[in-house]
Amino acid sequence: KAGVTQTPRYLIKTRGQQVTLSCSPISGHRSVSWYQQTPGQGLQFLFEYFSETQRNKGNFPGRFSGRQFSNSRSEMNVSTLELGDSALYLCASSLKDPLPGAQYFGPGTRLLVL
Amino acid sequence: DQQVKQNSPSLSVQEGRISILNCDYTNSMFDYFLWYKKYPAEGPTFLISISSIKDKNEDGRFTVFLNKSAKHLSLHIVPSQPGDSAVYFCAASGAGGSQGNLIFGKGTKLSVKP
């Protein structure tokens, strides 16, 4: 069974631009969560989607948004990029409810904002 | 304010000895605690979890201890192996909603020396 895949793996953008990251969950998984990892703040929860609906949201500004498609694939978008948005963005999927330990993480997309 | 804290950014242990990684939390509403292991260029991998109604959970070489009164948990790895060298994240879930929202500590980098 293929794992969680994220594209692209690496991305370089400049301040003010926008970016879209993609996540394909494990086949059959319907819940997708997104996290941001930075050296200073560690891993922080962005949002979680289930059945195309945002079910939970972390404490990030409105520039960060996401969506989930009917095939459970998810995208996250960051508009008006800032230098501080440079981070590793991780996606995690689970079957239905993201029960503890049942979330599987992808390898992440490393975003560098110049 | 950090709800989950890992106060030791790094830990070095000799192969065969015990590794003890510590984690403190502030929110008494958390109902599950998890440990993830992360290698460079990979997403976190679930290691072991513990429910707040238990005080110990064991899985092979890995044991997690929970002290609710002290709001403290620890991960014991016995015996430590060089392949255990990675960053270990403590995470908590359950407070205020979906378990898709994991609150992570900033991680402890474990180095196991041969």
Side-chain angles (χ1 to χ4, degrees):
Chain A
K1 207 176 207 182
V4 177
T5 57
Q6 292 186 244
T7 57
R9 292 294 310 277
Y10 303 92
L11 204 49
I12 299 175
K13 292 285 188 179
T14 55
R15 278 183 301 174
Q17 286 188 310
Q18 75 157 14
V19 68
T20 299
L21 311 181
S22 180
C23 171
S24 292
I26 291 172
S27 177
H29 284 197
R30 294 170 61 191
S31 168
V32 174
S33 298
W34 287 89
Y35 294 83
Q36 180 196 63
Q37 184 184 9
T38 58
Q41 298 299 321
L43 272 157
Q44 292 185 288
F45 172 76
L46 280 155
F47 26 65
E48 184 225 345
Y49 286 87
F50 178 77
S51 291
E52 302 178 64
T53 301
Q54 187 181 88
R55 194 159 63 168
N56 207 354
K57 190 177 189 304
N59 189 25
F60 277 80
R63 300 185 298 107
F64 292 82
S65 63
R67 59 178 175 168
Q68 186 180 34
F69 302 94
S70 57
N71 62 358
S72 294
R73 190 177 70 85
S74 177
E75 288 181 348
M76 68 162 281
N77 184 277
V78 188
S79 62
T80 320
L81 283 166
E82 300 177 1
L83 295 180
D85 297 333
S86 295
L88 179 68
Y89 290 88
L90 291 158
C91 162
S93 77
S94 62
L95 271 170
K96 180 182 176 183
D97 288 310
L99 295 174
Q103 283 193 46
Y104 295 83
F105 282 84
T109 293
R110 186 163 294 281
L111 171 65
L112 177 61
V113 182
L114 302 174
Chain B
D1 184 34
Q2 263 200 294
Q3 296 189 64
V4 177
K5 295 181 184 179
Q6 293 178 257
N7 292 319
S8 299
S10 63
L11 175 68
S12 184
V13 170
Q14 206 67 33
E15 181 180 5
R17 307 294 289 268
I18 184 172
S19 295
I20 300 177
L21 297 101
N22 294 303
C23 179
D24 297 297
Y25 62 95
T26 57
N27 193 332
S28 57
M29 297 300 290
F30 288 137
D31 58 10
Y32 258 101
F33 302 90
L34 307 89
W35 286 93
Y36 281 82
K37 179 168 75 171
K38 186 179 186 298
Y39 293 117
E42 294 182 13
T45 302
F46 169 72
L47 205 53
I48 191 169
S49 68
I50 187 167
S51 162
S52 61
I53 63 173
K54 295 187 176 182
D55 54 20
K56 177 183 174 181
N57 188 25
E58 192 172 352
D59 184 2
R61 296 186 297 115
F62 303 91
T63 304
V64 56
F65 295 93
L66 175 63
N67 182 335
K68 285 182 63 179
S69 61
K71 293 191 176 70
H72 177 84
L73 65 154
S74 60
L75 174 68
H76 293 210
I77 307 174
V78 184
S80 302
Q81 299 172 355
D84 296 329
S85 297
V87 177
Y88 288 78
F89 291 95
C90 167
S93 75
S98 166
Q99 294 182 353
N101 179 0
L102 288 176
I103 310 296
F104 283 87
K106 292 189 177 181
T108 296
K109 184 176 183 180
L110 173 66
S111 299
V112 180
K113 300 185 185 306

